[in-house]
Amino acid sequence: MNVYEMHVLFRTLTQQQGLQRVRAILPETIDTFLQQGIIHIVQTELQVGANKVFKENVASQQAKVSLHNALSTLVSNTVIDINPSGEFINLDKDIPNILYLTDFAISKDNRIFVKCRWIENDRLEDTMNDYCNRDSERNPIVTVSSTNDIGRGEPYRLCSLFTGGNNHKFKHLRVGYVRTPATVHLVGKDSPMNVDCDLPAYLHTNVVETAMELFMLSLGLTSNKQQASESGKQLQ
């Protein structure tokens, strides 16, 4: 479904809710609510993946599979060069539009990659002091922290790499991530300047339905779907 078709469906759904004057809504307004719908769905899918990580032992892999299925068009990976010290890597400088990080791997030759353990910063000291779990060339560790550029005050994510003193041997870091979705925009029905939704096609109807519900809420109204959901909760 392209962005024009999403606009048509949005108008159709809102008219079905009794808003006959929806034709007067500017395309820019519909774009705004469609984008809010996209963000809501992406955040929901990411939260589902995060919950699996915390609740299941093999959750990390299961969550990753689920994420790849739900947001397949946004899931990507990029290989960046590691600086000579190999310790600190500014991810946002090398990879624009990162929304959600998923995994890391390092390589000496850009062919064979070693998967990294990604651990929380507050667990780093204990892990490094644990003989069995500490970092090594075959069992590298990465941490990610958020910091600010003192000169400009712009936040960015800083990746730290630990390989048992072997950072200098590794030349490449592969970063898996979910990128920020495109900002939809309708210029005209067949305009080459249109920006379509880049979520998987099966989610497009959900995006429009969510956008419609958000639009209804902005008017202080509830959709038939929301009313049915609330009625069901009351019956329980």
Side-chain angles (χ1 to χ4, degrees):
M1 189 184 305
N2 60 38
V3 68
Y4 175 78
E5 293 168 334
M6 296 179 86
H7 273 243
V8 171
L9 180 57
F10 179 92
R11 294 182 184 277
T12 300
L13 292 177
T14 49
Q15 288 173 14
Q16 289 174 355
Q17 303 299 318
L19 297 180
Q20 301 306 321
R21 296 181 181 179
V22 72
R23 292 183 180 180
I25 300 177
L26 294 173
E28 293 84 355
T29 301
I30 298 178
D31 283 342
T32 297
F33 282 101
L34 288 174
Q35 194 64 32
Q36 290 178 9
I38 290 170
I39 292 171
H40 176 81
I41 287 175
V42 170
Q43 289 177 337
T44 299
E45 295 297 339
L46 293 179
Q47 185 62 48
V48 169
N51 287 340
K52 286 186 177 182
V53 169
F54 287 110
K55 292 181 179 180
E56 304 173 19
N57 290 334
V58 272
S60 182
Q61 183 62 29
Q62 291 178 350
K64 186 175 179 181
V65 170
S66 175
L67 198 63
H68 276 68
N69 289 333
L71 303 175
S72 57
T73 55
L74 300 183
V75 174
S76 184
N77 66 74
T78 298
V79 177
I80 60 179
D81 293 335
I82 299 176
N83 58 50
S85 66
E87 187 173 359
F88 300 113
I89 304 165
N90 185 337
L91 297 176
D92 292 294
K93 177 182 177 182
D94 294 297
I95 309 173
N97 300 323
I98 296 176
L99 177 65
Y100 183 85
L101 293 164
T102 58
D103 59 271
F104 297 89
I106 54 177
S107 174
K108 300 175 181 178
D109 54 12
N110 204 18
R111 292 184 300 131
I112 300 174
F113 282 82
V114 180
K115 190 170 180 63
C116 300
R117 279 185 297 153
W118 181 9
I119 67 173
E120 300 294 334
N121 286 284
D122 57 1
R123 292 178 49 209
L124 179 60
E125 184 176 355
D126 290 339
T127 302
M128 299 291 276
N129 290 328
D130 187 323
Y131 180 79
C132 296
N133 291 317
R134 64 186 306 176
D135 61 315
S136 67
E137 185 174 349
R138 294 186 176 183
N139 193 19
I141 291 174
V142 296
T143 61
V144 178
S145 57
S146 180
T147 186
N148 289 314
D149 186 313
I150 298 177
R152 293 178 296 172
E154 297 179 359
Y156 59 88
R157 280 158 288 204
L158 196 64
C159 173
S160 299
L161 177 63
F162 305 91
T163 61
N166 296 289
N167 284 14
H168 62 283
K169 296 182 180 180
F170 294 94
K171 308 299 182 184
H172 309 281
L173 174 70
R174 187 180 66 204
V175 183
Y177 60 97
V178 177
R179 63 177 176 81
T180 303
T183 301
V184 295
H185 181 52
L186 176 67
V187 176
K189 182 177 179 180
D190 298 313
S191 173
M193 302 298 290
N194 289 346
V195 180
D196 295 328
C197 174
D198 54 0
L199 294 187
Y202 81 93
L203 289 174
H204 289 185
T205 299
N206 291 349
V207 167
V208 181
E209 290 177 343
T210 302
M212 182 270 295
E213 291 173 2
L214 292 171
F215 173 70
M216 297 285 288
L217 287 173
S218 74
L219 299 177
L221 304 172
T222 55
S223 67
N224 295 335
K225 180 179 178 181
Q226 290 171 317
Q227 291 174 0
S229 177
E230 292 174 0
S231 299
K233 291 179 180 178
Q234 291 176 357
L235 290 174
Q236 293 177 358

